[in-house]
Amino acid sequence: MYQIEEANSFSQWRDMISSTFVPLEAEQVRSGPFTGRIGGRILQDVGIMRLEADAQTVRRSPALIARGGTGHYKLSLQLAGHGLLLQDGREAVLSPGDVAIYDTQRPYTLNFDSSFESLVLMFPQHLLGLSSEDVSELTAVSMGQGNRLAGAIAPFIASIAGQLPELKSPIGHRLAMNIVDLLSTLLADEIYSRPDSGTDNHARMLRRVQHHIEANLADPLLDPDAIAAAHHMATRTLHKIFSASSLTVAGWIRERRLEACRRDLADPLCAHVGIGQIGVRWGLIDAAHFSRIFRAAFGASPSNYRQDPGALVR
């Protein structure tokens, strides 16, 4: 359901943004009256919120992060006014049409010196399908009209936001996932567009292999030997490349397949697709094996999760 909340004082606004997103500290830039408005909805795992408010500074401090909670990414699309995002030693000036991503698990600051309007998407980090190391290179990086993909993606996101009040739940959920996929593509393009100089060769090869895996998840024969052959390297070299990451080659394949299955099981538009068919769609052809590893990863069987996606605790 699309909901609108309005604040007529800064203290009310401070409570509103912390309950809508993650716990935040906020300061009013200038004394006097303050108004703010948030309209949006939660579509499964993705929150899409349109903010209109007066000048302010918002901070996600180490103390707030230390309280715990699930890691999320937030995408900000500036619609009106100007903002400044600071994270990981970088500053991104946000003008209308600019987008930038930031991580709720690390400190950040947002400054707005005057009234502004922005669209914010917040979603669990595992949905993005990119390593945290990759994303950490792109936090607080403004991507706007000069970016070959952002110039097309930003207007699409803005148009979807304008339709939020009327969108039916199944279509809204699918569109929210599509937006996350587009964002993943935009960030991957940014990563691969960067010069090779000064970049660790192992890290770049790891990214390439991970994206190869993502593109071939449906192939039940996808395994370390096939991946190594596709990249003209020895299998032992492939394992060495993955040794610096948190998962093995097989572990990365399994995680990405399970995430793809999880998304289909939560998608109301896939309700007619059998659970076994969903497993096969993503390369998990043994139904019993699929059910076993899904339960181990998510704490619920595929059928139980499909009945109540909101009960899953990752």
Side-chain angles (χ1 to χ4, degrees), residues 28-240:
Q28 194 170 355
V29 169
R30 56 184 63 90
S31 59
F34 180 92
T35 59
R37 184 174 184 266
I38 299 177
R41 64 193 302 178
I42 305 296
L43 297 166
Q44 196 61 43
D45 292 328
V46 182
I48 306 180
M49 307 295 171
R50 191 181 189 117
L51 284 71
E52 303 171 55
D54 292 332
Q56 61 189 276
T57 296
V58 177
R59 294 186 182 87
R60 176 79 167 151
S61 67
L64 292 177
I65 295 169
R67 294 182 185 177
T70 303
H72 288 78
Y73 290 126
K74 294 170 76 176
L75 172 74
S76 181
L77 166 60
Q78 196 72 14
L79 299 175
H82 293 80
L84 179 67
L85 168 64
L86 300 91
Q87 188 171 57
D88 297 325
R90 291 183 290 270
E91 297 183 0
V93 177
L94 301 176
S95 300
D98 289 342
V99 295
I101 192 168
Y102 44 112
D103 183 348
T104 65
Q105 293 293 80
R106 298 200 299 280
Y108 65 81
T109 300
L110 277 162
N111 290 320
F112 300 98
D113 290 334
S114 60
S115 297
F116 70 96
E117 184 176 347
S118 63
L119 181 71
V120 177
L121 277 72
M122 189 172 82
F123 52 91
Q125 294 181 356
H126 63 84
L127 288 185
L128 200 53
L130 297 173
S131 70
S132 58
E133 293 81 9
D134 280 350
V135 180
S136 68
E137 295 182 17
L138 297 174
T139 51
V141 173
S142 178
M143 294 170 280
Q145 299 298 328
N147 182 286
R148 59 183 178 178
L149 292 182
I153 291 174
F156 171 74
I157 296 174
S159 68
I160 295 303
Q163 299 175 47
L164 279 178
E166 291 79 33
L167 284 177
K168 301 298 183 182
S169 181
I171 298 300
H173 174 269
R174 176 68 65 85
L175 282 171
M177 294 299 103
N178 289 342
I179 290 173
V180 173
D181 288 340
L182 285 172
L183 175 59
S184 177
T185 301
L186 171 61
L187 296 178
D189 182 65
E190 281 288 305
I191 292 167
Y192 284 114
S193 297
R194 295 189 165 197
D196 290 349
S197 58
T199 303
D200 180 83
N201 287 333
H202 271 65
R204 289 190 66 83
M205 183 53 70
L206 176 62
R207 292 170 185 156
R208 292 186 183 280
V209 171
Q210 288 174 336
H211 287 294
H212 172 85
I213 291 171
E214 195 79 19
N216 292 277
L217 288 176
D219 182 0
L221 300 180
L222 186 69
D223 64 9
D225 289 339
I227 296 166
H231 291 83
H232 309 289
M233 66 174 71
T235 304
R236 64 177 179 276
T237 303
L238 176 64
H239 288 304
K240 184 176 181 181

Side-chain angles (χ1 to χ4, degrees), residues 43-45 127 168-179 181 258-275 278 281-282 294 302 305-310 312:
L43 297 166
Q44 196 61 43
D45 292 328
L127 288 185
K168 301 298 183 182
S169 181
I171 298 300
H173 174 269
R174 176 68 65 85
L175 282 171
M177 294 299 103
N178 289 342
I179 290 173
D181 288 340
L258 288 173
E259 179 55 35
C261 292
R262 189 199 70 82
R263 286 178 56 169
D264 281 357
L265 289 168
D267 187 346
L269 297 180
C270 289
H272 66 287
V273 182
I275 289 174
I278 287 176
R281 175 184 289 179
W282 296 109
F294 189 94
Y305 175 64
R306 169 174 265 177
Q307 293 170 9
D308 187 10
L312 181 150

Side-chain angles (χ1 to χ4, degrees), residues 9-19 24-27:
S9 69
F10 195 74
S11 60
Q12 187 181 4
W13 174 259
R14 187 165 46 227
D15 292 341
M16 188 187 301
I17 58 174
S18 287
S19 61
L24 297 164
E25 299 170 354
E27 298 175 8

